[in-house]
Amino acid sequence: FDGVEVSSSTASKVRSDVSKGQCCGKKAKAKAPEVPFPEALQKYQPQTLEIKGARATWHRPLTLMELVKIAAAHPGAKLVVGNTEVGIEARFKFCNYPVLVSPTMVPELNALSLEKGAISLGAAAPLTRIREYLTGLVASGKISEKQSGSAVAVLDQLRWFSSTQIRNVGCLGGNVVTASPISDLCPVLLSCNATLTFARLEEGKVLTRDLPVSKFFLDYRRVDLRKGEVLVKVALPVTSELEFVKAYKQARRREDDIAIVTSCMRVVLSRGDAANEAKEKVESSKIADVVAAPSGYVIKEAMLGFGGVWKTPTRASKTEKLLTGKPWSKETIQAAISELAVDFPLNPNTPGGMSEYRKTLCASFLYKFYIHVSHALAGGTSAVPASHLSAITQFHRPASKGQQNFQVNPSQRQAIGKPVSHRSAYLQVAGEAEYIDDLAPKHKMLFSALVLSTVPHGDIVKVDAKAALAMPGVHGYFGAEDVKGHNQVGHWGDEELFASKTVHCVGQPIGIVVADTHRQAVEAAKAVKVDYKQKPALLNIEDAVRAGSFLGEQEGYTLERGDTKAGFAKCDHVVEGEMRVGGQEHFYLETQASECIPGENGEMTVIASTQNPNTTIEAVAENLGVSVHKVVCKVKRMGGGFGGKETRSVNYSAAAAVAAGALNRPVRIVVERNVDMATSGQRHAFVGKYKVGFNQDGKLQALDVTLYSNAGWCLDLSVPVMHRGLFHIDNVYWIPNIRAFGRVCKTNMPSHTAFRGFGGPQGLMVAEAAIDHVARHLGMPGHELRAMNLYGEGQKTHFNQVLTNNTIGRAWDQCKKRSGFDARLQKVKAFNSASRWRKRGIALVPTKFGIAFTAKFMNQGGALVHVYTDGSVLVTHGGTEMGQGLHTKMIQVAAGALGVPIDMVHIAETATDKVPNTSPTAASMSSDINGMAVFRACEKIAARLKPLRDTLPKGTPWKEIVHKAYFERINLSAQGFYKVPDVGYDFKTKSGPGFSYFSFGVACAEVEVDVLTGDHQILRADIVMDVGNSLNPAIDIGQIEGAFTQGMGLFTMEELVWGDSDHKWIRPGNLFTQGPGAYKIPSFNDVPLDLRISLLKNAPNPKAIHSSKAIGEPPLFLAASVFYAIKNAVEAARVDHGLKGAFPMDSPATAERIRMTCPDEITKAVGVPSKFRPLGSW
């Protein structure tokens, strides 16, 4: 339709209206009413507390004497301030601490003061208070600039220490006493030579003991804290003239993350005799990039504190010794960089892995420190070249901004095409939207937890649940022998609900324990003892290929066009390469959850967090041995799904249903995050091997690709995932001769499953890796090569589908123009020529994504629409709401079809007794199939009302029409059904259209990379997306933003690490990156500084509801623009070292991979091979 173009800021109109005092067209109150602080709390005086519970006794002393008395009486007591460590140990490690002490009211432990040349920091003072206090000391001048070095170092670390919420409650003492090897603050205390003060009770008195922090850490998590002692304070010495301190940290994610390596370096210099200094000889590795320092300074003292390189926070003693007494010069630092590798000889089996990267970080931090001090000594003069000052450029992030450009339907009455807010938005932000675990427990409800295998492959010898059944509150254990129906789940018959004889991965369910509370169930499940006879395990793609272990068709799957052999023979150039794409955790906010409520005559109601209600009831019915009509599944909403609840959610519902059926009581299962991550499967890791032929002018001629996917131990959806990967191996490029071959690898890992994009992003990434390789081989800009090979209208894909309504050319041109790509590319080149240690990259990357289920039968949808006598409309359809706004769009479709305001339409839930035989909410098809079904149901009702409407005056209100229709006995309820025409590719006959249509998009991303650490920042991203005529621009743009961010995680940050031959420090088959502590998704600090999204104008799609297009999955791959922008920045760094041409870089482009793909004299000095390729879990 001809719409009105709207350009808005990233902030929504709702937020804008609220800020103006308006909301929904009404004037809002300018000021909220003041709520007085309760008088009783104002007068409250703290009291000594002792609270006895079933598991522990809680003490809150008010004085230091009371505290040390408790410590003396209970030597094993745990002091708790923020509960950031003890809480994790209790919940996830099942540690039991019967005595807990809160020292938050003890004055001595909360005092902050400046005394005798040191800053005294109370051990229980929250980190936020310490941060504010130190900031005040520096800003107020109470300590001079030369005295502030140690304080600034602490502030530098606190800036990225966890999150604001954690800093508000966490304390310094906890950070010290836990002795974490990756502590942020302990290296600062070590290098600054801080002193710890302890207190204990002796002969009725409080005695104190001072100890240098360097003597405190004895071994892994073991410290010199004597029986009955408590840490009272930390004394941090202030610095003096010619004393320099600087702290550094590198993590997987900049914000709210634990360190990979953290460091603080301090040197005290003295002015030496320049003539004598010149005679000083220092052995060095002659690192060319080390610039000269101002002369005349000698290192009087050096302390280099590190975390992440040893089993305790530690110092580089050998390097410190080498530095002491030497001149502050490039030769000295060259020698020190090499010596650091001697101090920390990390090997590949070091816990935490990344040994080469961690060694490199230590050296890189030292080089940064050298530049920092040299620049300070020079007083900002030219002693350090400007290009090298980029080594000490501080990370700075201004407030994010953005633009949204789209068309809206100009009609004031028509609901379609309006940027309507998500119908549940206000409930969700207010915390009022209910999810499974928010529901009030049903009468006699029990809670459950799964008993999981602990070995990757083995026969079950014995299961002993006696100890678990004897625990308080436990009502039963149920395993394979307790399943009344068939002990199977899934469509292929290759997966048991509960393992009966053999386990095939760590985390495979063996049984389920049911108890009065969730905690009881979890603890009882841990108490079930299982004996195994272990078998050899295959733990990655390489293992599976070597063993010939494959799922699905053993000969693999092939798509082919033309003659690749002849194509290669005619090419000017042929290159080969390999691209590895790691898996990705779904990390939905709501973990797998279900509630099963038994009824009469074998009935079972399942309230589930699932994308697939129909498969849920089929599985539950089969496991219970009843017909499907006895089982109903209801879904109100999910707290995210992303494909992870398309099939794997079914297992949890079925397990709970077996227990509920056996006990005839409601049973709820809510899986812990670490269990969810370790058991429910992730995005498939892929390895792609490509061979591509092309001419000197850049025209592509032939492509031969072999894809391997890591499926895990059973089929699940791995075959169609591979199909989609093969379908997308061409991306948007016309290549006359293509052969795409894929094999699904069977490994002893949890079955990997659907994830937004469903194999498409992996295939697309391999395609772009080949394109990138060609461009670098030719020395041609990547954007030029891509542009000249774009598909044209009417050309066929490699699976013989004609591309109609092909908008990729328009999207490419518009994105290139809107982003100002050409001018920015020149600015990037200018920046790189002037900056040695920070590099920028910019890249344009397109995408083409096929829309349809690749299984033909799934391309169908249903709906049921009721109109009530007051004119209100209730819609039920086969799709589920997981935050993506599907229900909102369906409300708009219904409102538009019936000609009523959207406020008169409501969707309560998805339920299989209302709309049966539904397809899963997946493949980006839900708006298409369910929207058409809703539309057709509404059309039926509108058609029935038309004769009546024709007899009524024009403008008769809807409510009056409906009311009269009821008395005329007109049916006000209708069922709608829709099947997608002309879709369904057959891999056996190599025929049929693979997709209903294609969605196109282009993104331009610009990044800045810290070459010394591998850290990066996205400066700007521009996206142009073809969404047809948008049903709801606000929701579609939200989906683009979300998909792009999730794609950023996939391609730059999120890394799964499994125990295998490359990660021997992890138990075989175990997932190391369980939970948010080790696995990092993008945070607010990782999104582009400037994000601009445009919906392609005037691009109606004749093959979907109201000429719209699917939106859920297609934009995700556009985040590859960030990956290739990073790779371009890396290339600029490599060129500085004389390294030209193509080079491999696997996905995700983590800080480790970025840094290690930039070999230089520093990496060489610490012994890293120039072609080192970081390990991964594939």
Side-chain angles (χ1 to χ4, degrees), residues 109-112 124-134 167:
L109 272 73
N110 285 275
L112 303 173
L127 295 175
T128 295
R129 271 192 64 217
I130 290 176
R131 187 181 185 187
E132 292 170 349
Y133 176 72
L134 293 178
R167 290 193 297 268

Side-chain angles (χ1 to χ4, degrees), residues 836-917:
R836 178 64 189 82
W837 296 111
R838 295 188 85 86
K839 297 293 182 181
R840 289 184 179 178
I842 188 170
L844 272 167
V845 173
T847 191
K848 167 178 63 68
F849 196 87
I851 304 301
F853 286 101
T854 51
K856 181 178 180 178
F857 73 91
M858 298 174 74
N859 292 285
Q860 58 177 298
L864 180 63
V865 177
H866 300 312
V867 178
Y868 294 91
T869 55
D870 65 350
S872 61
V873 181
L874 179 65
V875 174
T876 306
H877 61 90
T880 55
E881 176 63 47
M882 60 188 103
Q884 84 280 39
L886 176 62
H887 283 353
T888 303
K889 286 186 174 182
M890 296 303 96
I891 287 171
Q892 289 177 271
V893 169
L898 295 174
V900 301
I902 60 173
D903 289 340
M904 295 195 71
V905 184
H906 178 62
I907 296 177
E909 63 184 7
T910 304
T912 56
D913 58 350
K914 305 296 188 301
V915 179
N917 309 319

